[in-house]
Amino acid sequence: MSVPPPPSKDFIREIIDEDLASGKHDSTVTRFPPEPNGYLHIGHAKSICLNFGIAEEYGGRCHLRFDDTNPTKEDVEYVDSIKEDIQWLGFDWGDHIYFASDYFSKLYDWAVHLIKEGLAYVDDQSAEEMRENRGDLQTPGVESPFRNRTEEENLDLFEKMKRGEFKDGEKVLRAKIDMAHPNLNMRDPVLYRIVHAEHHRTGDEWCIYPMYDFTHGQSDALEYVTHSLCTLEFENHRPLYEWFLDNLPVPSRPRQIEFSRLSLNYTVMSKRKLLQLVQENYVSGWDDPRMPTVSGIRRRGYPAEAIRNFCKTIGITKYKSTNDIALLENSVREVLNRTASRFMAVLDPIKVIVTNYPEDQVEEFDAVINPEYPELGTRKVPFSRELYIERDDFMEDPPKKFFRLSPGKEVRFRCAYFLKCNEVVKDDEGNITEIHCTYDPETRGGENPPDGRKVKATIHWVSAAHAIDAEVRLYDRLFQHEAPDKDGDFLQHLNPESLSVLSNAKLEPNLGKVELGETVQFERLGYFCPDLDTSVEKPVFNRTVGLRDSWAKAQKKK
RNA sequence: AACUCCGUGGUGUAACGGUAGCACAACAGAUUUUGGUUCUGUUUGUCAAGGUUCGAAUCCUUGCGGAGUUGCCA
């Protein structure tokens, strides 16, 4: 009898297991701390899945906390979109929504506390002077001439900073740590800066704002966060994070643990670059289906479950890796194969006339909704004398391995009949305008006929008289370069063919009932979803992702 | 040549001193009323050199390579 091995856990969950086993904590509290200055992207989704996932698995909680300490960059618009995205991903913060700005007065008191302990001082140096005196990676910094002000003077000055008696940048409050510290973050970091700006929540109540470092750990402590999970670039901030916890009367002792952020090939992820794509109109907006934003992915038709599965498969480590976008697409296909209803749609239509089929006859065939779940039943698809098929599914002079329709050849029209091509009609310029076929009544429903005849291909079709006209948008990767951040300007690597619009698509009538938010399969083509731009007059579908296509792959190799 | 962190197939991720496994990708085949799905098989890996040990991806030493850090951003 073999016992299945326990599922392997990432290093963060192992730490949590130990902390729970040792009794250091008896429950877990994590947090997702976005700054409301932009839209969430799939990298954030990784962090959301980690933090909220841990809360679910351990029966703990995960706080949503907006890190809103910089009024010049932040806005409520972002708060709302961030909340929507987290919910869409399938997570719930319950009552635990917080704002760092709720702690401003507590943080102010703690700053005063540090001054009284002789651990903070008001500095009059300009930003430039501070930079010069900070030293660099190899050389120690120089202490500020204002470093040894008296407690009274510091208290007075800090009070005046708060009251608005100074202009932006005139003074800052700094921690008094060590100007020669090998970690630059410890060289008397700034705690408070003066910013006369309207804050999206506190209005003009404050004109001094705490820095990230002076806010984050203390906020964690105030919320009794046990494990504060962040990305690798905060590793160098951990000593400072702990310095504040050591020197302030905080109510709890959170632990910061860093993990590697998500990166994907053929994708840019930095907020700055995504913003640039939007502002300079390389994409239609934050929710352009080509964007790696949560809203873009949603509009593209990726299911939330696929994102969650993807985050599970990439794991959590400290190793800076680049994930293959194919892995994400695989997660998407895996979910959609299970969940998407099947329909027929012709993207690039060419007309087929079934010459031996009665002119005004219409038959309805039963077509399976999802072959993975036959119990879901069937839908009715109308068939008539005039049909559309995919231009790619016909070749007048086919290569050897081409199984689809060509002169003299017979194929199955999915769920309908075997049709044989007898004639090709062309216009004056030689373009094919119609394909004339005959059907075999013995193959009704697409069944093999009694004579045992077989065909090598099944193709999709739409009845011309019943078709819904639609626009279909096909997306390809936004960047051609595997690492668009490398080799100069990332904009140079934009894929000029990342979007192609097909305005003459023909849809099976059932497709008129697909609702926004649902992703379906167009058989043999891929997964598609109605776009936000869709209207009764003009349905618009986005291609979420294509089906694996071994025929196309074989062609490309030649 | 500061400090911190990280090196396992093409990509990502396991193995916690005891057979280097899994997923994706690639390739080959079987099945198929989607050239989809499913199934089977194949190829490819512990950064390097020493050391400890019966035994090292794992522990130690040195080297090599990569990343982050010099905002009054987060």
Side-chain angles (χ1 to χ4, degrees):
Chain A
M1 250 308 190
S2 69
V3 182
S8 66
K9 290 190 172 180
D10 57 69
F11 75 100
I12 292 176
R13 278 174 245 250
E14 281 180 0
I15 290 171
I16 292 175
D17 284 348
E18 287 163 22
D19 288 348
L20 259 17
S22 72
K24 179 177 176 184
H25 301 295
D26 37 46
S27 68
T28 65
V29 182
T30 51
R31 102 271 89 112
F32 174 65
E35 183 187 13
N37 71 342
Y39 286 77
L40 258 28
H41 55 61
I42 188 163
H44 294 110
K46 175 180 180 179
S47 177
I48 290 167
C49 289
L50 208 218
N51 282 293
F52 283 94
I54 285 171
E56 284 176 2
E57 290 159 36
Y58 289 87
R61 24 175 241 268
C62 179
H63 297 181
L64 169 59
R65 182 174 71 232
F66 288 95
D67 222 329
D68 55 350
T69 57
N70 187 350
T72 60
K73 290 188 175 177
E74 295 150 9
D75 197 277
V76 274
E77 172 200 359
Y78 300 114
V79 172
D80 296 336
S81 81
I82 288 168
K83 286 157 77 171
E84 184 187 356
D85 287 348
I86 296 171
Q87 282 171 327
W88 177 76
L89 281 167
F91 297 103
D92 179 15
W93 52 86
D95 298 329
H96 298 284
I97 179 167
Y98 303 99
F99 291 82
S101 52
D102 291 341
Y103 310 135
F104 280 172
S105 78
K106 188 77 194 170
L107 291 167
Y108 179 83
D109 292 344
W110 277 340
V112 169
H113 177 92
L114 286 182
I115 292 171
K116 288 180 176 167
E117 296 287 319
L119 293 174
Y121 62 97
V122 172
D123 196 348
D124 297 1
Q125 291 183 107
S126 67
E128 297 72 47
E129 288 170 318
M130 272 183 62
R131 193 180 320 121
E132 281 162 26
N133 290 334
R134 187 159 25 236
D136 62 24
L137 298 175
Q138 258 108 136
T139 50
V142 175
E143 293 188 353
S144 166
F146 305 96
R147 197 171 197 261
N148 293 310
R149 294 218 245 231
T150 63
E151 181 188 323
E152 291 67 32
E153 192 181 0
N154 279 318
L155 252 16
D156 177 57
L157 256 15
F158 188 47
E159 169 75 23
K160 285 176 174 158
M161 280 171 64
K162 182 193 174 198
R163 283 208 305 258
E165 296 187 15
F166 304 115
K167 291 196 282 287
D168 286 9
E170 215 175 311
K171 290 190 168 28
V172 291
L173 183 74
R174 301 177 75 178
K176 191 193 266 193
I177 304 180
D178 179 2
M179 285 307 291
H181 199 107
N183 182 337
L184 288 306
N185 293 128
M186 299 296 272
R187 320 244 263 226
D188 289 8
V190 171
L191 270 29
Y192 268 91
R193 76 283 211 192
I194 299 169
V195 184
H196 291 272
E198 171 108 357
H199 185 277
H200 68 102
R201 299 195 84 235
T202 60
D204 56 5
E205 188 184 343
W206 296 88
C207 63
I208 56 171
Y209 291 91
M211 300 290 292
Y212 165 85
D213 285 307
F214 192 66
T215 307
H216 204 91
Q218 290 92 299
S219 301
D220 287 339
L222 285 167
E223 294 175 17
Y224 293 85
V225 166
T226 54
H227 302 271
S228 182
L229 314 177
C230 62
T231 46
L232 253 25
E233 62 274 25
F234 293 100
E235 223 155 17
N236 295 323
H237 293 248
R238 183 161 19 101
L240 184 54
Y241 181 99
E242 291 176 345
W243 190 88
F244 291 125
L245 297 178
D246 287 339
N247 289 288
L248 259 11
V250 292
S252 78
R253 180 84 194 194
R255 171 172 172 188
Q256 174 179 308
I257 305 170
E258 311 86 15
F259 63 94
S260 179
R261 65 161 17 137
L262 172 69
S263 46
L264 289 172
N265 56 13
Y266 299 102
T267 309
V268 297
M269 206 73 90
S270 87
K271 269 185 195 173
R272 204 204 94 234
K273 287 178 180 141
L274 295 178
L275 178 67
Q276 193 178 349
L277 290 172
V278 173
Q279 288 184 335
E280 297 176 15
N281 294 311
Y282 293 104
V283 295
S284 66
W286 285 101
D287 66 347
D288 185 296
R290 292 164 294 181
M291 291 283 274
T293 49
V294 173
S295 52
I297 280 168
R298 177 168 59 229
R299 185 167 178 182
R300 177 81 172 254
Y302 284 19
E305 183 188 356
I307 307 301
R308 281 184 258 122
N309 292 347
F310 170 70
C311 289
K312 222 168 279 174
T313 50
I314 60 172
I316 299 290
T317 65
K318 299 191 74 139
Y319 177 62
K320 229 181 122 89
S321 55
T322 301
N323 289 272
D324 195 332
I325 194 90
L327 200 53
L328 209 208
E329 293 184 347
N330 180 263
S331 295
V332 173
R333 289 196 187 99
E334 189 271 324
V335 171
L336 258 14
N337 181 50
R338 276 189 282 117
T339 59
S341 298
R342 316 281 132 125
F343 297 96
M344 289 196 283
V346 175
L347 269 30
D348 183 14
I350 183 163
K351 191 166 261 184
V352 167
I353 311 286
V354 188
T355 54
N356 62 339
Y357 197 85
E359 196 106 14
D360 43 13
Q361 183 171 325
V362 176
E363 282 178 276
E364 286 203 319
F365 290 109
D366 291 314
V368 172
I369 290 171
N370 186 335
E372 307 295 315
Y373 297 96
E375 64 273 22
L376 259 33
T378 57
R379 65 190 196 275
K380 297 280 186 198
V381 186
F383 179 91
S384 63
R385 190 171 192 269
E386 295 197 10
L387 311 169
Y388 290 111
I389 65 167
E390 210 69 64
R391 197 166 288 271
D392 283 351
D393 284 341
F394 179 82
M395 276 183 103
E396 196 173 12
D397 187 20
K400 207 182 283 154
K401 289 257 178 109
F402 185 83
F403 302 145
R404 282 109 97 148
L405 199 62
S406 57
K409 286 281 170 43
E410 186 176 44
V411 298
R412 173 186 289 114
F413 275 42
R414 173 113 180 148
C415 303
Y417 290 109
F418 281 18
L419 269 80
K420 185 175 180 178
C421 169
N422 305 303
E423 195 189 345
V424 178
V425 181
K426 297 182 183 176
D427 63 15
D428 297 341
E429 287 161 13
N431 302 310
I432 299 171
T433 54
E434 280 178 7
I435 298 165
H436 289 192
C437 296
T438 48
Y439 84 107
D440 178 358
E442 301 261 33
T443 57
R444 222 192 110 83
E447 305 271 354
N448 286 336
D451 67 9
R453 224 160 71 242
K454 289 196 172 163
V455 289
K456 295 200 83 166
T458 298
I459 66 172
H460 61 277
W461 52 273
V462 171
S463 167
H466 304 86
I468 300 175
D469 289 306
E471 175 179 313
V472 173
R473 298 173 184 171
L474 303 182
Y475 301 101
D476 196 356
R477 48 178 63 125
L478 232 197
F479 294 94
Q480 297 169 302
H481 196 292
E482 193 176 346
D485 287 324
K486 299 273 179 336
D487 301 338
D489 182 9
F490 74 106
L491 294 172
Q492 288 174 348
H493 302 304
L494 278 164
N495 177 6
E497 288 162 18
S498 61
L499 167 65
S500 52
V501 178
L502 301 172
S503 48
N504 192 29
K506 306 289 182 182
L507 312 182
E508 128 181 13
N510 297 306
L511 248 6
K513 294 198 280 281
V514 177
E515 298 193 10
L516 219 57
E518 189 181 354
T519 303
V520 300
Q521 185 186 109
F522 290 179
E523 284 197 279
R524 302 210 307 132
L525 296 174
Y527 298 97
F528 294 79
C529 68
D531 185 74
L532 260 28
D533 291 342
T534 216
S535 65
V536 183
E537 308 82 61
K538 186 76 171 180
V540 178
F541 277 80
N542 294 322
R543 183 172 67 190
T544 304
V545 63
L547 251 27
R548 266 195 204 85
D549 189 345
S550 50
W551 167 249
K553 198 193 283 177
Q555 293 307 291
K556 213 181 284 178
K557 263 194 293 188
K558 286 181 182 170

